[in-house]
């Protein structure tokens, strides 16, 4: 009887000895919370994005980054924020946590990103911000969105959870709007286990975000307990516990150092998938647009049961039985009962997001996947449609 092959974990990060050594160094130094390694990670991330170090702030998640960015943007209860119907729930939840009202619009059927025409049609006198999501690592149409924002005097908070390496017309994602928010969750292109980052156009906004991220205190732990002597803190507003730890930053420092080589690995795998699945009765993702850089965070196939002869959920089950972890990115936001009950949203009101959400499946796209594992994934996919 052949030996059972190991399960391929979806989104498994590639952790190397450098990360392990850096974490151990933090533990030996007994500096586990926010400290010098968080500051170093912020500096190096800012340099990667081509901005000054005092324009970024590390957080414990992208959700936290979104939440306090919207607070720093001055959003208040009753304000409306326009965002996409095809995203992770954190995008919408962060709007709700500010007290603002999320307004959903549909996506472009090919790019799967927010449709600028739908954004403009949704603007009301209460609209204060646009929250675009660079879905799967593909940049939104930022020229169109920024024109709309300038025309209507709206804030722009970019959700860059999938888009660390993404560029649009030679400009990096997260540097267009007033704020850019990034994720370093375990499945992301750079991981710190859990973690996030805010990039802001205005230095004053980052100063406030750093206060909001640590209880509203005027000094963080590093400055209170460092070798320069104890520094008193003052609570200037009711903040949150959203700070990143040095143990997390220790991982991120070396993940960031390998960002280009890992991007190249994911690009190669994404390209191999595109070629291998060209003759299958599925819809492959659109190729990267001219003068853009795709981050290759997700590789998503659309499984139309009528065309493919198998439902999306049956395909998911087939892949799981073959020992391959897959994901769904995402069910449209209006599919979820909480939002239906609170806002009265219905999937049919957002037909592109509904169709994509009901057909989509994401395949593993980690730099950890070598040629042998990639071939196993490809064979499992193609075998589904040979019966």
């Amino acid at each position: 009887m052949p030996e059972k092959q190991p399960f391929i974990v979806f989104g498994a990060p590639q952790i190397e000895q450098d990360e392990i050594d850096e974490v151990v160094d933090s533990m030996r130094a007994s500096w586990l919370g926010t400290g010098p390694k968080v500051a170093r990670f912020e500096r190096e991330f800012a340099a990667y994005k081509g901005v000054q170090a005092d324009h970024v702030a590390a957080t414990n998640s992208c959700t936290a980054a979104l939440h306090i960015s919207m607070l720093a943007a001055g959003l208040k209860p009753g304000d409306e924020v326009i965002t996409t119907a095809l995203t992770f729930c954190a995008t919408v939840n962060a709007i709700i946590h500010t007290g603002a009202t999320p307004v959903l619009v549909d996506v472009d059927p090919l790019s799967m990103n927010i449709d600028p025409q739908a954004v403009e049609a949704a603007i009301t006198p209460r609209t204060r911000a646009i929250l675009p999501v660079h879905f799967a690592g593909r940049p939104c149409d930022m020229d169109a969105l920024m024109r709309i924002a300038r025309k209507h005097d709206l804030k722009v908070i970019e959700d860059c959870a999938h888009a660390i390496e993404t560029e649009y017309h030679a400009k990096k994602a997260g540097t267009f709007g007033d704020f850019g928010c990034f994720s370093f969750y375990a499945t992301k292109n750079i991981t710190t286990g859990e973690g996030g980052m805010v990039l802001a156009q205005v230095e004053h906004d980052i100063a406030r975000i750093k206060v909001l991220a640590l209880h509203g205190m005027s000094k963080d732990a590093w400055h209170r307990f460092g070798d320069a002597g104890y520094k008193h803190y003052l609570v200037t507003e009711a903040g949150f516990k959203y700070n990143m730890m040095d143990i997390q930053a220790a991982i991120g420092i070396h993940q960031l150092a390998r960002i280009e080589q890992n991007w190249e690995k994911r690009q190669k795998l994404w390209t191999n998938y595109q070629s291998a699945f060209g003759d299958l009765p599925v819809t492959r993702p659109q190729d990267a647009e001219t003068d853009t850089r795709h981050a290759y965070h997700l590789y998503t196939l659309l499984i139309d049961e009528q065309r493919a002869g198998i439902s999306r959920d049956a395909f998911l089950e087939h892949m799981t039985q073959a020992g391959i972890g897959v994901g769904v990115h995402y069910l449209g936001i209006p599919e979820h009962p909480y939002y239906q009950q609170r806002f009265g949203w219905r999937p049919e009101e957002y037909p592109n997001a509904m169709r994509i959400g009901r057909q989509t499946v994401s395949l593993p796209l980690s730099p950890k996947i070598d040629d042998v594992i990639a071939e196993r994934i490809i064979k499992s996919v193609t075998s589904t449609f040979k019966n």
Side-chain angles (χ1 to χ4, degrees):
M1 186 174 180
E3 185 178 348
K4 187 175 180 180
Q5 293 179 299
F7 190 85
I8 299 169
V9 177
F10 178 83
Q14 185 171 40
I15 302 297
E16 297 189 357
Q17 192 61 45
D18 286 341
E19 287 96 314
I20 295 169
D21 291 344
E22 198 75 47
V23 170
V24 171
D25 180 72
S26 291
M27 297 178 76
R28 285 179 173 152
S30 298
W31 200 295
L32 309 183
T34 303
K37 287 184 180 173
V38 170
R40 176 183 168 189
F41 185 45
E42 289 174 333
R43 288 195 305 271
E44 293 178 2
F45 187 83
Y48 174 74
K49 284 292 178 178
V51 301
Q52 295 298 313
D54 53 11
H55 285 252
V56 303
T59 62
N60 62 7
S61 70
C62 186
T63 309
L66 288 166
H67 182 201
I68 54 180
S69 290
M70 283 185 273
L71 293 175
L75 295 179
K76 297 178 176 60
D79 292 345
E80 292 179 352
V81 180
I82 299 173
T83 194
T84 169
L86 187 68
T87 186
F88 186 51
C89 61
T91 307
V92 175
N93 289 349
I95 298 170
I96 294 169
H97 292 324
T98 68
T101 301
V103 175
L104 298 186
V105 298
D106 210 354
V107 297
D108 177 89
L110 295 179
S111 72
M112 305 186 190
N113 277 326
I114 194 167
D115 181 348
Q117 289 185 340
V119 170
E120 186 139 37
I123 292 172
T124 76
R126 294 180 297 278
T127 306
R128 296 291 179 270
I130 305 169
L131 205 170
V133 178
H134 301 291
F135 181 78
R138 184 188 307 277
C140 295
D141 184 350
M142 294 309 298
D143 282 349
L145 292 173
M146 295 308 295
R147 278 196 300 269
I148 293 167
R150 287 190 293 268
K151 177 181 175 182
H152 297 278
D153 192 24
L154 304 176
K155 297 287 188 179
V156 176
I157 299 106
E158 296 176 67
D159 185 332
C160 304
H162 297 178
I164 297 170
E165 307 95 327
T166 299
E167 295 180 11
Y168 176 84
H169 298 177
K171 188 172 180 179
K172 292 181 182 293
T175 66
F176 289 87
D178 300 272
F179 302 89
C181 300
F182 299 85
S183 174
F184 308 124
Y185 178 62
T187 61
K188 296 302 190 287
N189 294 2
I190 290 174
T191 186
T192 57
E194 293 277 5
M197 189 80 74
V198 180
L199 186 158
Q201 294 289 341
V202 179
E203 181 184 346
H204 173 76
D205 288 335
I206 284 296
R208 184 170 179 223
I209 278 170
K210 289 197 172 188
V211 170
L212 283 169
L214 196 62
H215 302 295
M217 296 191 302
S218 58
K219 297 287 183 183
D220 61 30
W222 186 22
H223 294 107
R224 293 204 311 278
F225 301 123
D227 56 12
Y230 186 85
K231 299 289 188 294
H232 289 283
Y233 67 86
L234 295 173
V235 175
T236 58
E237 58 183 307
F240 306 90
K241 190 68 169 73
Y242 284 169
N243 58 304
M244 179 181 282
M245 299 165 55
D246 262 28
I247 287 180
Q248 295 167 298
I251 302 171
I253 286 165
H254 296 285
Q255 290 274 303
L256 183 59
R258 296 197 306 274
I259 190 168
E260 288 303 308
Q261 68 185 66
N262 285 344
W263 178 84
E264 289 172 1
K265 289 178 182 178
R266 290 195 316 277
Q267 182 193 41
K268 177 184 175 184
L269 181 55
W270 202 93
T271 302
N272 287 346
Y273 284 159
Q274 286 287 78
S275 176
F277 305 144
D279 295 329
L280 297 183
V282 298
T283 300
R284 297 170 298 161
Q286 184 184 32
D287 287 335
E289 293 87 347
T290 302
D291 198 20
T292 71
R293 189 187 206 207
H294 199 305
Y296 302 117
H297 174 59
L298 295 175
Y299 185 87
T300 55
L301 294 175
L302 299 184
I303 312 292
D304 180 344
E305 184 172 3
Q306 195 167 23
R307 179 186 171 201
I310 184 174
S311 70
R312 189 273 307 277
D313 288 359
F315 179 84
L316 293 172
E317 180 63 23
H318 169 86
M319 296 298 286
T320 302
Q321 290 298 319
I324 296 168
V326 286
V328 172
H329 298 88
Y330 296 100
L331 283 176
I333 290 293
E335 300 275 9
H336 298 288
Y338 173 77
Y339 307 114
Q340 291 179 0
Q341 292 161 13
R342 178 159 179 179
F343 299 106
W345 295 333
R346 294 293 177 264
E348 296 78 11
E349 298 170 333
Y350 313 91
N352 293 329
M354 179 181 73
R355 177 183 59 83
I356 293 165
R358 293 179 180 182
Q359 295 181 3
T360 191
V361 59
S362 297
L363 300 181
L365 196 64
S366 166
K368 197 173 183 178
I369 295 172
D370 60 23
D371 291 343
V372 174
I373 296 174
E375 186 60 29
R376 182 181 153 198
I377 294 167
I378 290 168
K379 284 182 176 178
S380 293
V381 172
T382 54
S383 69
T384 309
F385 303 99
K386 289 183 178 178
N387 297 330

